[in-house]
């Protein structure tokens, strides 16, 4: 057993800071320049935050929440909280004020770190239901005064009295940590209902990190780009735990809007993102190819033709990989939601293996399904024995044990079938399957994922419960549809006008016809509707993985759904 196997994450982190103080721990792009943060700087900032939290009066076991895009300050606040024996809790920065309030109430947080004044305003909007919340600390102090609330302070002001705290206390608290201590909370996806907070111990986090080193084939010196919110359990393991164990140099983009450019600059060895990101990369590439000259279009088509050989096809593939920032990538990872096999085929054709990971909060992030950790129960539900077992569900300081099967397996609520290699393959959620008027049951997940493999479709929701046939609501990929309209010379005034055009209707129908050809008769889509607006990460109709939140969407789009059957 290695030394790190018996350590908590803060203890392993402290050992790394002591052993390599001047080595770069991470990089962050600010104002167009990549700035390095050494392990000694990482330690100093985390210690300052940890002692400030201690001075504020928090006691071990209390929750410290973080609401921010991925950035170095997120990792510093996270490590500071765990080092002092507190519980770290990440909230997706795209959550609405209502969702933020619910997550903070469930966690019972007294202190929340937020990225900026906009995130602080979300917290204050729910202040009435958060009597315990006493301090909101912003990483970016601009606009804090305008909020007019004494509970909101900038990070510098929160750390101002740090000189009075004994520095030795920070390391003493790290040394006192135990493997059974609760390390962090991760919100479940809430695809079909209200999200919950999954809790994991320090020992579980370390086991998961060590397992991912082996399973994902990470290496010393690997570069990665962290743009998925660190509230994701998977991203936390990959960007916060693996570098501490010695695998990888994490880079943080300047903002979500600059990810594509930053990806080209970093040229990471591997990238982790939800399927929606990989779908958008493919859609943008297809859109760009659509507007090029005929010769360039032919070269692009040759590059994505997996059967095309010769130096010209290889050169075209290298060009595509380089333009995407994937020239060095050994493999890329997709997780958190279903992805269509066609998506992996596209990336495989250009020479970038796309590995589909099973991810959930209950599995402490990524999980490679295999006989030792996964099985299919009699009702076709996927059950797991994860490497990092769930400690329980957290609610206001109390842990509720997970409901396990009679022999100790964790039910996931996912519908699975056995693949050709015998490994379980997820095809949807049990709770999302519905019965049609004929009595046939339909699992919509795989059908929706297949639709999303089209570069013109950004979102899809199959409906048909107690109906004679299936229909679908779709949200279009705006950039791709605009490029199509430009290439085809379709006149329009605005996006809402464009999606109502017969040519766009025919384009969507063609995507559905291709899918219907592979579906059984009773599952074919007989009608569809196109949303007149795009969906963004801030919409409550989407989960954090940017998939349709079915219950919310059915309420929001009930009129459009009824119109499909009128």
């Amino acid at each position: 057993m290695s030394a790190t196997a018996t350590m908590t994450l803060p203890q392993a982190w402290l050992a790394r800071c002591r052993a390599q103080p001047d080595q770069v721990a991470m990089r962050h792009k600010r104002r167009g320049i990549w700035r390095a943060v050494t392990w000694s700087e990482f330690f100093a900032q985390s210690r300052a935050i940890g002692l400030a939290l201690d001075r504020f009066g928090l006691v071990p076991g209390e929750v410290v929440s973080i609401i921010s895009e991925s950035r170095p300050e997120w990792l510093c606040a996270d490590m500071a909280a765990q080092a002092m024996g507190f519980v770290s809790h990440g909230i997706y920065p795209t959550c609405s004020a209502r969702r933020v309030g619910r997550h903070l109430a469930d966690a019972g947080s007294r202190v929340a770190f937020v990225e900026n004044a906009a995130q602080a305003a979300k917290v204050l909007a729910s202040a009435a239901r958060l009597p315990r919340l006493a301090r909101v600390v912003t990483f970016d102090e601009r606009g804090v005064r305008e909020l007019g609330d004494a509970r909101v302070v900038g990070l510098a002001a929160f750390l101002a009295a740090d000189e009075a705290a004994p520095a030795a206390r920070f390391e003493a608290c790290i040394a006192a940590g135990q493997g059974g201590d609760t390390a962090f909370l991760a919100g479940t996806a809430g695809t079909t209902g209200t999200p919950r907070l999954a809790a994991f111990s320090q020992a579980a986090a370390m086991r998961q990190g060590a397992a991912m080193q082996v399973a994902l084939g990470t290496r010393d010196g690997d570069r990665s780009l962290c743009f998925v919110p660190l509230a994701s359990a998977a991203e936390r393991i990959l960007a916060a735990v693996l570098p501490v164990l010695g695998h990888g140099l994490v880079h943080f983009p300047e903002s979500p809007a600059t990810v594509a450019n930053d990806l080209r600059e970093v040229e990471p060895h591997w990238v982790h993102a939800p399927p929606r990101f990989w779908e958008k990369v493919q859609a943008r590439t297809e859109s760009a190819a659509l507007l090029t000259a005929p010769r360039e279009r032919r070269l692009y088509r040759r590059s994505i033709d997996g059967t095309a050989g010769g130096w010209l096809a290889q050169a075209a593939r290298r060009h595509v990989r380089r333009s995407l920032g994937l020239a060095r990538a050994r493999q890329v990872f997709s997780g958190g939601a279903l992805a269509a096999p066609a998506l992996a085929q596209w990336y495989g054709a250009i020479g970038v293996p796309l590995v589909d990971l099973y991810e959930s909060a209950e599995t402490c992030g990524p999980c490679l399904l295999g006989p030792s950790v996964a099985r299919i129960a009699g009702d076709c539900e996927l059950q797991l024995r994860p490497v990092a077992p769930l400690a329980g569900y957290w609610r206001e300081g109390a842990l509720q044990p997970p409901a396990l099967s009679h022999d100790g397996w964790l039910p996931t609520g996912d519908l699975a079938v056995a693949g050709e290699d015998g490994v379980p393959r997820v095809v949807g959620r049990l709770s999302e399957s519905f019965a049609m008027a004929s009595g046939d049951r339909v699992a919509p997940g795989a059908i929706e994922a297949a639709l999303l493999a089209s570069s013109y479709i950004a979102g899809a929701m199959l409906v048909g419960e107690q109906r004679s046939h299936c229909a679908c609501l779709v949200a279009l990929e705006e950039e791709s549809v605009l490029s199509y309209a430009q290439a085809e010379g379709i006149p329009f005034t605005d996006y809402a006008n464009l999606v109502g055009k017969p040519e766009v209707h025919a384009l969507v129908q063609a995507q559905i016809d291709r899918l219907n050809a592979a579906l059984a008769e009773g599952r074919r889509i007989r009608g569809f509707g196109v949303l007149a607006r795009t969906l963004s990460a801030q919409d409550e109709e989407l989960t954090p993985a940017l998939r349709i939140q079915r219950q919310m969407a059915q309420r929001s789009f009930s009129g459009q759904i009824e119109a499909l059957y009128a």
Side-chain angles (χ1 to χ4, degrees), residues 336-501:
L338 280 179
L343 189 66
Q345 291 170 5
W346 187 87
Y347 281 94
I350 65 171
V352 181
L354 178 67
V355 179
D356 190 22
L357 298 176
Y358 180 85
E359 293 177 11
S360 74
E362 285 90 344
T363 60
C364 197
C367 177
L368 291 178
L369 301 183
S372 62
V373 298
R375 73 180 186 184
I376 301 176
D379 58 353
C380 295
E381 181 183 26
L382 179 70
Q383 296 185 346
L384 298 175
R385 268 190 174 146
V387 172
L390 174 69
Y393 293 103
W394 181 283
R395 187 173 179 85
E396 297 180 358
L399 272 178
Q400 302 168 352
L404 302 178
S405 68
H406 69 281
D407 53 352
W409 288 71
L410 176 70
T412 64
D414 286 317
L415 187 66
V417 297
E420 294 181 359
D421 54 359
V423 175
R425 182 170 61 87
V426 176
V427 295
R429 294 284 293 173
L430 279 170
S431 57
E432 291 181 348
S433 63
F434 55 79
M436 301 185 66
S438 63
D440 291 340
R441 292 203 69 83
V442 176
I447 298 175
E448 292 166 350
L451 272 176
L452 295 177
S454 165
S455 60
Y456 297 107
I457 296 178
M461 184 174 74
L462 194 73
V463 295
E465 185 170 7
Q466 296 304 314
R467 307 278 192 173
S468 61
H469 62 272
C470 289
C472 191
L473 275 183
V474 299
L476 298 184
E477 190 72 68
E478 183 176 10
E479 186 175 345
S480 297
V481 174
L482 290 175
S483 296
Y484 177 79
Q486 183 177 348
E488 296 295 319
I490 302 171
F492 63 94
T493 55
D494 56 22
Y495 180 75
N497 173 257
L498 175 61
V499 299
K501 293 285 184 177

Side-chain angles (χ1 to χ4, degrees), residues 18-260:
R18 285 172 171 170
Q20 299 172 320
D22 297 325
Q23 185 172 322
V24 177
M26 64 187 96
R27 291 193 177 101
H28 184 202
K29 194 176 185 183
R30 288 182 176 170
R31 298 178 183 177
I33 299 173
W34 288 100
R35 303 177 188 274
V37 178
T38 64
W39 286 101
S40 63
E41 291 169 335
F42 188 3
F43 173 80
Q45 180 76 339
S46 299
R47 181 177 63 184
I49 294 174
L51 294 176
L53 290 169
D54 184 56
R55 186 177 62 253
F56 190 73
L58 266 62
V59 298
E62 285 201 80
V63 176
V64 175
S65 296
I66 310 171
I67 314 169
S68 172
E69 296 288 353
S70 297
R71 55 191 289 167
E73 293 89 344
W74 204 109
L75 291 186
C76 291
D78 170 63
M79 192 57 69
Q82 293 187 55
M84 298 302 295
F86 311 136
V87 179
S88 176
H89 167 224
I91 299 177
Y92 282 87
T94 53
C95 283
S96 65
R98 184 178 66 84
R99 284 186 178 179
V100 166
R102 184 174 66 234
H103 288 311
L104 289 172
D106 288 347
S109 309
R110 279 210 291 150
V111 176
F113 289 89
V114 300
E115 183 172 10
N116 49 33
Q119 296 292 350
K122 290 183 186 179
V123 176
L124 296 179
S126 301
R129 61 182 295 191
L130 303 171
R132 285 179 52 81
L133 189 69
R135 181 68 75 232
V136 180
V137 184
T138 65
F139 298 142
D140 185 340
E141 300 183 20
R142 290 174 294 182
V144 169
R145 289 184 180 180
E146 284 75 6
L147 294 174
D149 194 304
R151 288 171 295 183
V152 184
V153 299
L155 181 60
F158 185 65
L159 304 181
D162 182 56
E163 295 79 6
R169 175 163 172 73
F170 183 68
E171 295 189 28
C173 288
I174 292 176
Q178 300 291 323
D181 296 342
T182 301
F184 65 85
L185 310 178
T188 61
T191 307
T192 56
T194 302
R196 294 187 288 179
L197 297 179
F200 291 92
S201 68
Q202 288 288 344
M206 291 294 285
R207 279 199 297 270
Q208 180 73 333
M212 287 303 100
Q213 282 183 314
V214 177
L216 304 185
T218 59
R219 305 172 186 172
D220 290 336
D222 277 357
R223 289 182 299 198
S224 64
L225 184 69
C226 174
F227 54 88
V228 174
L230 281 159
S232 158
E235 194 66 19
R236 178 191 286 267
I237 295 298
L238 298 176
V241 179
L242 287 188
V244 170
L245 299 181
H247 278 221
L249 175 61
V250 64
H251 295 70
F252 294 99
E254 187 152 8
S255 76
T258 66
V259 167

